[in-house]
Amino acid sequence: MLARTVTHALVGLDPWRVEVEAHIQSGHPALAIVGLADRACQEAKERVRSGITSAELSWPKGRITVNLAPATLRKEGPGFDLPIALAVLSASRQFPPGALAGHASFGELALDGRLRPVVGALVAAEGARRAGLDRLICAAESGAEVALAGIEPVPVRHLAEAVAYLRGQRGPPPTIHEEARAAPHAPELADVRGQERARRALEIAAAGSHNLLLVGPPGTGKTMLARRLPGILPPLCDDEALEVTRIHSVAGMLHQGSGLVRIPPFRAPHHSASTAAIVGGGPSPRPGEASLAHRGVLFLDELGEFQRPALEALRQPLEDGFVFVARVLGRMLFPARFQLVAAMNLCPCGARGDPALDCSCTPQRLARYRERFSRALLDRCGPRRDDAPAARGQSSLRHRASRQPRFASGVIVARAELGRQPPALTAEAGDLLTRAVDRLALSGRGRARAARVAETIAALAGRAEVEAEHVAEALSYRAPAEVAG
Ligand SMILES: Nc1ncnc2c1ncn2[C@@H]1O[C@H](COP(=O)(O)OP(=O)(O)OP(=O)(O)O)[C@@H](O)[C@H]1O
Ligand SMILES: [Mg+2]
Ligand SMILES: [Zn+2]
């Protein structure tokens, strides 16, 4: 006897339809799973057998073959347990034939028949909705996520509950639409004392979604400032919220019943993070930090400590808004349009920029430090300047300056936005920008970026046109020689 049901496998962020067929023939009792199933899928045999017997259903006599089609698609993970079990039960007529019509299912089975949620429920459910199916049988924990996809969930806690439903002994349980959780309390910008320039830079970067580098001596509040950015970002619109929720679903990072992710994500990976952790990858590729930060903020604290390959790998998402992850069969694309916020000291020992201290870094060490991030992340728009005279001047002032406040400042780098109209500048603003381009030897890109930052500053001031003062302020957030190298 033969039975079929449908499920959806995840390929990156996309659902792929998989037909699960169970065929029972007379013969020596055995269960075989065919159709390019990975190890976790092969282990489904034990879970399905044990789950069915624990649910006080009967394990069919004879030789059972389960086929996962198309055979060319590699099937990964435990999400096939439930559809396999349902196909086997249907083939052995333990509920009416036809009961599975219009249904998709996915879920992992525990040995006692309880259902466990799997990652990517939202994406798999979107696949089922697009395939024209009406209902999706899943673990109770996945119900709310499935409902987000616009398909009716049949959330169950146990395989026995799924079978009772298919026998018509109970209707689909009502979905619990949980209240979206209150936004976690974001720390307030008002907690930060002084540091007007860095705060202003943070506000401009938030308003225009620009990349921001906070620089300054240790203990000036750079980390504190960056962590306050989420509190001033606007919430996500519907489309953005769905995109972000999809990525977090596939990464298994949605909290149960949290609903759509409405708050822009704020990701702060540690500087020891590997390249794969930052941009994604692995044998069955999962989104990395850059994608988890999609439509939100990627915060790299202690930028100078990050590994160079990891920083280099961020160039593509910074330019294009997505990452390509290599996999066995071709490449996979994950969206990664984030706002980069980074914090660093001006030199490895941290003393640079602090009037009370002497920097002990050798020129080579300093060069290596800057090399690591400047080419990868900053538009190198200024000619190399020797900052030795400034450093000498500082140390002679050391005594007097020791009680003076120390400052952090912000470098704003507008994000590349292809195809957008250049902002409207007044004649005076245009002149000022042109003169700055000559004086600072800005590249075409450097000019466009300064104009974008000026546009945000004008918008914050409620002006339709970019005026000279806005350009002047935008130019003041360019990387100083101490940073750009
Ligand atoms: N401007 C400020 N206003 C209020 N508190 C501050 C300020 N600057 C520093 N602090 C306090 O000092 C502590 C250290 O600040 P923070 O860690 O943000 O500095 P940092 O610039 O990131 O230093 P580092 O370069 O060592 O990482 C914070 O926990 C905060 O309580
Ligand atoms: Mg810090
Ligand atoms: Zn130093």
Side-chain angles (χ1 to χ4, degrees), residues 210 414-426 429-430 433 444-456 458 463-467 471:
H210 301 303
R415 270 195 337 201
E417 282 181 273
L418 303 170
R420 254 187 67 193
Q421 285 284 319
L425 271 66
T426 62
L433 188 56
R445 177 186 285 193
R447 180 193 169 107
R449 285 181 159 165
R452 282 275 170 252
V453 177
E455 183 186 30
T456 305
R463 299 301 167 85
E465 241 183 346
V466 178
E467 294 162 21
V471 170

Side-chain angles (χ1 to χ4, degrees), residues 153-176:
V154 180
V156 293
R157 282 175 303 258
H158 196 276
L159 182 59
E161 274 182 31
V163 171
Y165 161 80
L166 291 164
R167 283 175 178 164
Q169 292 163 353
R170 49 174 282 191
T175 317
I176 306 134

Side-chain angles (χ1 to χ4, degrees), residues 129-147:
R129 190 204 58 220
R130 268 182 253 147
L133 297 157
D134 304 317
R135 286 180 181 169
L136 201 155
I137 309 172
C138 60
E141 294 88 336
S142 302
E145 213 177 310
V146 166

Side-chain angles (χ1 to χ4, degrees), residues 347-352 358-361 366:
C347 70
C349 83
R352 204 159 270 252
D358 255 337
C359 168
S360 61
C361 301
L366 205 52

Side-chain angles (χ1 to χ4, degrees), residues 191-195 216-225 301-302 345:
D191 301 342
V192 182
R193 282 176 279 115
Q195 306 301 6
T220 47
K222 301 181 296 295
T223 301
M224 190 183 174
L225 274 157
D301 204 359
E302 316 289 351
N345 299 139

Side-chain angles (χ1 to χ4, degrees), residues 24-66:
I24 308 177
Q25 292 165 294
S26 56
H28 207 69
L31 169 64
I33 298 180
V34 299
L36 211 63
D38 79 346
R39 265 238 335 266
C41 259
Q42 288 298 342
E43 287 165 3
K45 284 184 211 171
E46 302 313 315
R47 294 190 298 265
V48 167
R49 197 195 308 264
S50 171
I52 286 181
T53 45
S54 312
E56 295 182 359
L57 297 157
S58 51
W59 184 251
K61 292 184 179 58
R63 202 156 60 84
I64 308 170
T65 309
V66 170

Side-chain angles (χ1 to χ4, degrees), residues 39-325:
R39 265 238 335 266
C41 259
Q42 288 298 342
E43 287 165 3
K45 284 184 211 171
E46 302 313 315
R47 294 190 298 265
V48 167
R49 197 195 308 264
S50 171
I52 286 181
T53 45
S54 312
E56 295 182 359
L57 297 157
S58 51
W59 184 251
K61 292 184 179 58
R63 202 156 60 84
I64 308 170
T65 309
V66 170
N67 181 32
L68 306 177
T72 46
L73 177 71
R74 179 164 218 94
K75 321 297 185 305
E76 288 160 351
F80 295 94
D81 293 2
L82 179 62
I84 291 172
L86 294 178
V88 167
L89 293 167
S90 177
S92 55
R93 299 291 180 261
Q94 302 192 46
F95 48 78
L100 276 173
H103 287 77
S105 62
F106 56 73
E108 178 181 346
L109 283 174
L111 294 176
D112 62 2
R114 266 182 305 124
L115 235 77
R116 293 196 174 124
V118 290
V119 301
L122 170 61
V123 173
E126 286 180 318
R129 190 204 58 220
R130 268 182 253 147
L133 297 157
D134 304 317
R135 286 180 181 169
L136 201 155
I137 309 172
C138 60
E141 294 88 336
S142 302
E145 213 177 310
V146 166
L148 286 179
I151 181 169
E152 189 179 353
V154 180
V156 293
R157 282 175 303 258
H158 196 276
L159 182 59
E161 274 182 31
V163 171
Y165 161 80
L166 291 164
R167 283 175 178 164
Q169 292 163 353
R170 49 174 282 191
T175 317
I176 306 134
H177 291 280
E178 284 171 70
E179 293 287 305
R181 292 187 320 164
H185 177 70
E188 301 246 358
L189 204 53
D191 301 342
V192 182
R193 282 176 279 115
Q195 306 301 6
E196 304 303 338
R197 252 187 86 69
R199 274 170 67 155
R200 171 79 175 150
L202 195 71
E203 277 160 358
I204 296 168
S209 234
H210 301 303
N211 297 321
L212 174 69
L213 175 63
L214 291 163
V215 285
T220 47
K222 301 181 296 295
T223 301
M224 190 183 174
L225 274 157
R227 293 207 170 268
R228 277 154 179 76
L229 184 59
I232 58 172
L233 292 175
L236 301 173
C237 71
D238 284 356
D239 286 349
E240 293 171 336
L242 201 56
E243 272 175 26
V244 172
T245 310
R246 222 175 260 141
I247 297 170
H248 288 230
S249 166
V250 166
M253 294 195 18
L254 282 186
H255 300 283
Q256 197 191 328
S258 59
L260 279 182
V261 177
R262 289 275 176 197
I263 306 160
F266 182 87
R267 304 290 306 173
H270 188 253
H271 57 70
S272 62
S274 67
T275 305
I278 295 212
V279 292
S284 54
R286 289 277 175 260
E289 293 291 340
S291 294
L292 293 170
H294 182 60
R295 303 281 179 207
V297 176
L298 181 67
F299 174 41
L300 303 184
D301 204 359
E302 316 289 351
L303 183 66
E305 303 296 317
F306 278 78
Q307 296 163 38
R308 179 120 173 237
L311 295 182
E312 293 283 331
L314 283 173
R315 289 168 75 161
Q316 187 189 29
L318 282 170
E319 290 284 321
D320 306 323
F322 57 78
V323 284
F324 270 128
V325 179

